[in-house]
Amino acid sequence: MKYYSTNKQSPIVDFKEATIKGQAPDKGLYFPETIPQVEKELIDNINNLSNEEIAFRVIKPYVGDTIPDEKLFQIVSETINFPIPLVKVNDTISSLELFHGPTLAFKDIGARFMSRCLGHFVNNDSRTVTVLVATSGDTGGAVANGFYDVDGVEVVILYPSGKVSPVQEKQLTTLGKNITALEVAGTFDDCQQLVKQAFTDKAITDKLFLTSANSINVARWLPQQFYYFFAYKQWADKNSPPVISVPSGNFGNICAGILAMKSGLPVNHFIAACNANDIVTEYLLSQELRPKQAVATLSNAMDVGNPSNFVRILEIFQQQFPELTSKLSSYSISDAETIATIKEVFDKYNYVLDPHGAVGYLSLQRYLQSHPAQKGMVLETAHPVKFPDAVENSIGSSIEIPESVQSIMSREKQSVLIKADYGEFKEYLIK
Ligand SMILES: *Cc1c(COP(=O)(O)O)cnc(C)c1O
């Protein structure tokens, strides 16, 4: 498999090079030259296949010969070694719980896969790789955890000061060793901008061997397809495929789902569930993509005003707007609606949603109201305990704190405070 840049001004590369580079030199995103089709037998026989086997078969064409099969199978197995259950909330809506990994969010899957691939690729390289990553909340913890103590890799995480939850902050600032957290006085978009600029700054790239671990990296993006297949495996009515609602920020997760569908996975429709950051919701109405300043919401991992991966979705649909809208709808949900949804779902069904899942749930409910013959699932992207204030205020009682969170909360935060200023960031990097 070869990858081209969505800006079409850079040479094509294989999976190894795309993983190491992260972003293409022309600032485009890498995209596979062809979308491989899964064998029909995989879909028909999915209930008899192990998750490891499914994941291996899905990812193999993308990886090609850059990782030996045995190693790839090991990487895949380690990536998904926790439960990913599809839980029934009521007769029409189920929840795909993606939060049973080490940092309690779906990003563990992409981060674990990518860190292992990168570790494999730099294994015989004398240079240290510096992974630069901007996080709106959950990426930082997942990446820090995935790369912690990996030889030859330094990780620098940028996060917006005061805009991540206490659990999220602890997850990305308490590891130490090869992980550094930069606390930026600004927004997530500021953090992302600083990272983007560093990649195009020759003074930095001459000195440091940089790569990104954001969802633009193919090794984080592509393995997110796995759990769409696992969800289908657990979906009871194979004759009537699900509507899938994906709480979306940078649009990597939903883009992986759409790719899985284009590869042959049965899906009825996708919902891009957004909070007040509604540029894709607006795009589907107006056909104009107008990036905005991100606004802070309760579902903070989705506070993105200029979603990087949306260009990949346009690429999948070959820029054909009618085809896109036949498969994708979007809703924008306010914080007040998010709170009300958490409360309602808890009161009616005794199921605790986190704010991101609640945005997904309400979006799905709205779609199903106008498509009553369908059933669907929401991707529950984070554990409610990561957002205790919003959740406990909504349900009126406290949620049980998992042991892994209790131990992390007592550790001391270590971060370096910087302004949202490129000069200051650069100085820090090449000090
Ligand atoms: C990152 C994140 C999202 C958004 O995912 P994208 O792939 O950026 O669209 C949604 N929910 C949670 C909990 C997240 O951490």
Side-chain angles (χ1 to χ4, degrees), residues 341-380:
T341 302
I342 296 173
K343 180 169 174 16
E344 186 190 317
V345 170
F346 180 70
D347 290 347
K348 274 195 183 157
Y349 310 114
N350 199 28
Y351 189 82
V352 182
L353 290 165
D354 96 293
H356 304 77
V359 169
Y361 183 96
L362 185 59
S363 300
L364 178 58
Q365 197 179 46
R366 293 211 170 139
Y367 181 83
L368 294 179
Q369 270 159 9
S370 51
H371 299 80
Q374 315 288 339
K375 294 185 179 186
M377 68 177 75
V378 53
L379 269 48
E380 181 41 297

Side-chain angles (χ1 to χ4, degrees), residues 104-107 136-139 168 215 220 224 246-254 301-302 304 309 354 356-357 380-383 386-387:
L104 312 178
F106 81 94
K107 292 193 175 73
S136 59
D138 282 336
T139 303
Q168 288 175 327
S215 51
R220 267 201 58 198
Q224 298 176 123
V246 186
S248 295
N250 233 339
F251 280 71
N253 194 2
I254 192 168
M302 293 153 45
V304 181
N309 279 287
D354 96 293
H356 304 77
E380 181 41 297
T381 46
H383 194 295
K386 294 187 97 170
F387 309 94

Side-chain angles (χ1 to χ4, degrees), residues 161-224:
S161 182
K163 295 190 177 68
V164 303
S165 83
V167 176
Q168 288 175 327
E169 185 166 44
K170 289 282 184 175
Q171 283 178 336
L172 52 95
T173 58
T174 58
L175 286 167
K177 283 204 179 171
N178 58 329
I179 314 291
T180 306
L182 294 185
E183 184 175 353
V184 178
T187 63
F188 168 67
D189 287 328
D190 292 329
C191 297
Q192 188 153 263
Q193 194 49 46
L194 292 176
V195 167
K196 280 187 179 159
Q197 202 171 338
F199 277 98
T200 59
D201 185 337
K202 197 158 177 305
I204 292 181
T205 53
D206 279 351
K207 186 140 183 227
L208 298 176
F209 179 15
L210 282 189
T211 189
S212 119
N214 275 40
S215 51
I216 58 171
N217 194 301
V218 293
R220 267 201 58 198
W221 171 47
L222 296 169
Q224 298 176 123

